[in-house]
Amino acid sequence: MAALCAAFGAGGASAATLIQYDSEQGALRGFDGFDSRMGTLDKVTLTVDLAKTRGWVVSAPAGGATTASLSWTIAGDWRLASTNAALGNPLVALAGTGSSLVALDRGGDQGRYGFFEVTAFGSKTFTFDPKQFLNRRTIFNGYDLGQNVGSGDTGFSGVPLGGTVDQLQGACIVAGGNPISPGEDFCGNASYTLTYDYTPAVPEPGTWALMIAGFATTGAALRRRRRRATATA
């Protein structure tokens, strides 16, 4: 019996982990708070993984280039927000490089233009105060600051002679040559992984006493059952 109690005590004191996932693509589910009856919450970490797109338009004078071969570089930020103001609004760095071959198939005598996308990536892990997650549900929902026209976080080379490159307000997807504005949450991907590291609760002395009494009663009943079975045989 002593060995059994020691085993239960050691198991109750060992570290444990709970992991939850969420994404901005679709209805945000949010994260369940840590149930303090489960034990002591020691550490809370949130990992954010991002791939965010933005829409742009490149133009050239009439009679000039019919395509644009652009290279681009992004150095921006994404801002974390939540339903708990105490967690603040920390930033995740966004970066990206790439190239786009854009057909200047729109417009006419006044000039020609075409639409294209750029994509930035980022990942960061935050550590938060465990008290902010005790028995409290939290929803995270961030914003790509580079969606704001004029943020200046994207640079280009290869712009056609006499042409310009301009960001589209709100639009971040180009489908069939046309820009689409689905809303910032759907401009790429933003996913969250929330981890609770905790120490499980150890039963109170009174609970141990009830458990031991239960084990003793069960053992006595089994012994009596064996004696009756022997006497009958």
Side-chain angles (χ1 to χ4, degrees):
M1 185 63 68
L4 182 60
C5 293
F8 271 99
S14 62
T17 300
L18 288 175
I19 302 177
Q20 302 179 66
Y21 303 93
D22 202 6
S23 171
E24 292 185 5
Q25 286 58 68
L28 283 167
R29 175 190 173 280
F31 295 101
D32 296 326
F34 181 79
D35 187 343
S36 57
R37 295 171 298 180
M38 294 176 59
T40 302
L41 184 57
D42 303 310
K43 185 178 181 181
V44 176
T45 56
L46 176 73
T47 298
V48 181
D49 292 300
L50 306 168
K52 305 300 292 185
T53 61
R54 299 91 168 269
W56 291 75
V57 57
V58 55
S59 63
T66 58
T67 61
S69 181
L70 302 171
S71 294
W72 42 267
T73 301
I74 303 171
D77 289 302
W78 178 93
R79 182 176 59 208
L80 179 66
S82 74
T83 52
N84 184 354
L87 301 180
N89 299 114
L91 300 176
V92 178
L94 287 173
T97 58
S99 59
S100 301
L101 182 62
V102 186
L104 306 180
D105 54 1
R106 308 302 171 94
D109 294 340
Q110 302 302 313
R112 303 179 64 82
Y113 59 91
F115 303 102
F116 66 102
E117 304 170 10
V118 301
T119 304
F121 300 89
S123 181
K124 189 171 183 178
T125 298
F126 300 97
T127 300
F128 292 117
D129 181 357
K131 294 193 298 292
Q132 299 298 329
F133 294 84
L134 293 177
N135 308 306
R136 178 173 186 168
R137 185 172 179 78
T138 305
I139 298 175
F140 292 99
N141 189 7
Y143 185 79
D144 175 12
L145 299 180
Q147 291 288 348
N148 299 320
V149 172
S151 68
D153 71 359
T154 306
F156 294 93
S157 61
V159 180
L161 184 64
T164 62
V165 177
D166 300 288
Q167 189 171 1
L168 301 173
Q169 179 68 54
C172 62
I173 297 174
V174 177
N178 297 309
I180 301 173
S181 303
E184 194 277 336
D185 281 358
F186 294 91
C187 291
N189 300 290
S191 61
Y192 305 98
T193 302
L194 186 70
T195 302
Y196 293 149
D197 291 308
Y198 69 101
T199 302
V202 177
E204 296 293 332
T207 304
W208 278 118
L210 290 174
M211 291 173 61
I212 293 170
F215 293 144
T217 302
T218 301
L222 289 173
R223 286 195 296 274
R224 286 196 299 272
R225 192 171 303 158
R226 283 198 295 270
R227 290 197 199 99
R228 286 197 298 269
T230 301
T232 302

